[in-house]
Every structure is written in structure tokens, then in C-alpha cells.
Amino acid sequence: MLTLLKQARAFGLGVVLSTQNPVDLDYKGLSNTGTWMIGRLQTDNDKARVLEALQGATSGPNALTRDQLDALLSGLGKRVFLMHNVHEARPTLFTTRWTMSYLAGPITGTQIRRLMGEKKADGGRQKAEAGGSPSAIGLQPFAPAKPVVPPGITEVFVPTSQPDVQYHAQLLAVTQVRYASVKYRLDVAGVLPLVADVTDGPIPVNWDEATELHIDPNALEQAGVDGATFSDVPAALLNAKNHARWAKEAAKFVAGSRPLTLWQEPGSGLISAPGEPEGDFRARASLAGREARDAAVQKLRAKYASKVSTLQDRLARAQLKVQQQQAQAQQAQLQTAMSVGAGVLGALFGGGRRTTAIRSGVSGVGRSMREGQDVQAAQTEMMQVSQQLQDLQNQVQAEVDALTLTASSELVQLDVKAKSTDVTVPLVALAWLPYTRAASGMLTPAWDTPT
């Protein structure tokens, strides 16, 4: 296929390539394609590949930015395509034409009686043979009508306050969920309405792509607005047996893939309330974290207070001992100097006490040396105590820093899953969701959301 895309044009051969997985296409193949028609993309990877290719293929002052292209692709509705032509400066949107078919399938007994009653009252058979106007049931040209929904299927309309809407058929599953956790002291219940697209493929519903419908299920209506148009309904959505199976699938999906998300501040252990916005909880958790950190620091300092006090007392006594030893050493040195001086003077001028003075000076030198050693021992002891105190203070500071780091750490996300027995599905229905279509072809949701 890549060889055809790269070489077929040289031989006058056109190539049409269709895929549901753009991420699998080689960029060389995309660059050799002159016309792209892009529909709704199912995955973020596919959209990222197409966005990257589109941005590289479009250039010039009128080229759209990546954000603009992303908005166009994200807003594509059913039967709406984005077309990129290498000969055009900007991509354009186009919509496929509607096809009206008068073959609506088997009609019900009520419809037969209504048809025959009108024919009998108006002489419809003779008019038809004479080329008169057709019957009014299902034969109004160019006037889209709501498809007939067979018995056994619940049909609801999502409320809207806007006129001129287009209803699109989707599967609605209203689930009631109870989230309970002894560990987090949690026990809450709520309603989770989910809507999902239904296709006619082998797997009609992909619950991983279902989205939450932010409306009150009690506000659902039994009829739509006047003058609205309707999309077609996939055959699988008109099969009542599928609805019972989809109810079980929805309950299983919610129990396994739709947990209740909470946030926890690790320093204080504070946990957010169900439904509390993350920003509000961050502000509340920040204050609680600082308070918890201050209390923990105070407790930590109290834990080490006695050890620090003991070492400080030992250090004070060691410093006093050093001062005393230094004073004694200085006094011994002075006495030794005086004794030696007296002996020298006696030797010079004579006298009977010169020998005693010299001996006294010699013993004073020995005493002075011993005093000096005592000073060194006292200084060594003081340095050891000082180092022990410093090590203890460093340890306390390290633990305080650890508490500060914990208090300023990121929030921890907690996912509380519901038990399968705590999920029920009281309503599965064909839901008509209203949209408005802009001139560009983009669809915008038109249902009323609670404030």
C-alpha cells in the first residue's frame, strides 16, 4: 500500500485508502495523499497522529493552528467530515446528504388501522389510482420525522430550552451506585447517568467511551421540542433484548471502571469529602498540613529536649573545667618562672638558699607540664561533648526537614471502587440528545445542565 501511494500517481493510477485506525498509517503515506476526509476519531492517539500530519501538511499565513485543528476534529458530529486538499490553504467541513427511504420496515397493527382509516375516509385508494397526493403517514417529503420505536423500549428526551435542535439517538443507562469503605470511613450513594453511542458492528456499545450525562434523571421528558429533526437509530438500539444485556454490562462497567475519586493530604491524613472540588480541598488540606507539621515538630523537639539539655549541661561543665585548668596552668607557669628566677639570682649573688630555689624551679616545671596536659584533656572532653551536641541538633533538624517535606508533598489520589452488589441500573433507555448545528457543520450540545 505504501508503494502504491508513493508511485501510482506517476502511472495515472488513483488510490483510495480507508481506515478506522489512522495511528497505523505511515507518515510517508499521509504525505503522498492529496485529499483527506477525516471523520470522528475514537482515540486520542488517532487524533494526535492526524493533528501532527495536518499541521505538517498545511502552511501559509491562512493555515490553522494546532488548537484550531484540534477544536475542529473534537467537534465533528455524525456524517460530518473535515476535508484537507493540498490545493487549498485551509481545510473545510462538509456533511453527507440525508437519504430518505419510504421502506420503514414492518408496520404495527395500530399504524395499519390508522392508514386504512384515513384511506377509507378520504377515498385514498381512488386518489392513488388517479395520481392524487400520497397518504400523510411517513410520506411527507423532505420533512424528517422521529423514527418509530418498537414496544418494550423506553424512550426519553433530554430537556432543552433551545429551538431548532437536532436529536441524536444514544443509549442511556442510569446507574445507582453506593461507595463504602471502612478504611476511609466512607458510605455514600449517588446516581450516575451514562450515555454511549451504539453502532451496528459486532460490539454495538463500547462502555469505555461512555460519558457522564450531567442532568437530573427526574428531569427527562417524554417528548421533544416541536420542529426538531432526528437522526437515524441503529438497529441494535431498537432491539429490546439488547437493553437487558446492556443494563448488566453498565453495572459491571461502573463497578470496575468508575471509582469514586478522593484526595488525601499525606501530612495530616485529611481526606476530601465526596464531590469536593480538588481546588477547595487543596486549600483546606494546606492549612491542615501546616498545623499537623507544626504539631509534629513540637512533639519532635519535646522528644529530644532532655537529651539536648543534658548535653548542653555537660558542655557548660566542660567549658568551666577548661577555664579552671587553664587558670591553674597559668599559675603553675608563673610560680615556676619565679622559682627559676630566684635560683638564678641566688647563683649570681650567692646565698644559702640558691640550691633549694633551683630544685623548686625544676619541680615547678614538672607541675606546669602536668597542668598543661590537664588543659588538653579538658579541651578534648569539651570538643567531644560539643560534637555530640552538634550531631544531635543535626539529627533533630533533619527530622524537622523531613516533616516539612511531607507536609508540602503532593496530594495522594484514592480510588474507592463500588462492589458489584452495590450497583443497580433502574433505567436503560433510548435517549434523544439535542444538539445545535452551526453553519460550519459543527454540533454543540443543547441540553440544559444543572447550575
Side-chain angles (χ1 to χ4, degrees), residues 2 5-6 17 21-34 36 48-54 56-57:
L2 183 60
L5 291 173
K6 293 172 63 175
L17 171 62
N21 300 297
V23 73
D24 294 336
L25 295 179
D26 192 291
Y27 73 95
K28 298 179 182 177
L30 289 173
S31 63
N32 282 277
T33 304
W36 304 359
R49 168 58 65 87
V50 172
L51 279 174
E52 181 181 1
L54 273 176

Side-chain angles (χ1 to χ4, degrees), residues 22 118 157 174 185 197 221 233 260 319 363 383 394 433 439:
E118 290 181 359
F157 289 80
V174 177
R185 299 179 181 178
D197 289 327
E221 300 175 347
V233 182
L260 176 65
Q319 291 173 343
S363 73
M383 293 178 62
N394 291 339
L433 274 68

Side-chain angles (χ1 to χ4, degrees), residues 205 207 242 244-254:
V205 178
W207 288 105
N242 291 335
R245 185 179 76 254
W246 288 335
K248 297 179 181 179
E249 292 178 357
K252 184 178 180 180
F253 168 75
V254 171

Side-chain angles (χ1 to χ4, degrees), residues 10-222:
F11 298 91
L13 178 64
V15 177
V16 177
L17 171 62
S18 177
T19 179
Q20 292 182 341
N21 300 297
V23 73
D24 294 336
L25 295 179
D26 192 291
Y27 73 95
K28 298 179 182 177
L30 289 173
S31 63
N32 282 277
T33 304
T35 304
W36 304 359
M37 287 175 285
I38 305 166
R40 297 175 66 183
L41 301 174
Q42 300 297 328
T43 67
D44 292 336
N45 290 337
D46 289 338
K47 187 168 69 172
R49 168 58 65 87
V50 172
L51 279 174
E52 181 181 1
L54 273 176
Q55 197 172 15
T58 57
S59 60
N62 296 326
L64 298 179
T65 64
R66 184 182 180 89
D67 291 340
Q68 291 174 328
L69 292 172
D70 189 2
L72 286 176
L73 292 178
S74 300
L76 293 178
K78 292 183 178 180
R79 298 188 179 89
V80 180
F81 294 85
L82 183 144
M83 182 178 70
H84 165 65
N85 190 336
V86 294
H87 301 294
E88 300 291 339
R90 300 165 66 98
T92 57
L93 294 175
F94 70 93
T95 307
T96 58
R97 292 183 297 177
W98 286 90
T99 301
M100 178 174 289
S101 172
Y102 297 109
L103 303 177
I107 59 178
T108 64
T110 302
Q111 292 173 330
I112 292 176
R113 286 192 295 271
R114 187 164 55 180
L115 281 170
M116 294 308 296
E118 290 181 359
K119 285 181 177 293
K120 290 179 181 179
D122 299 336
R125 181 177 302 175
Q126 290 78 7
K127 282 188 175 183
E129 292 176 354
S133 60
S135 173
I137 301 299
L139 301 180
Q140 297 176 358
F142 317 110
K146 184 179 76 65
V148 178
V149 178
I153 293 179
T154 304
E155 183 181 21
V156 296
F157 289 80
V158 175
T160 180
S161 58
Q162 300 186 26
D164 301 328
V165 297
Q166 181 176 0
Y167 284 105
H168 287 255
Q170 289 184 281
L171 173 65
L172 170 65
V174 177
T175 62
Q176 292 181 341
V177 196
R178 175 174 175 258
Y179 297 98
S181 173
V182 177
K183 180 180 180 180
Y184 302 127
R185 299 179 181 178
L186 175 72
D187 192 348
V188 295
V191 178
L192 180 64
L194 298 175
V195 290
D197 289 327
V198 180
T199 65
D200 291 326
I203 303 179
V205 178
N206 185 358
W207 288 105
D208 290 332
E209 298 178 359
T211 57
E212 183 177 354
L213 186 63
H214 296 283
I215 64 165
D216 182 3
N218 296 322
L220 294 172
E221 300 175 347
Q222 299 298 319

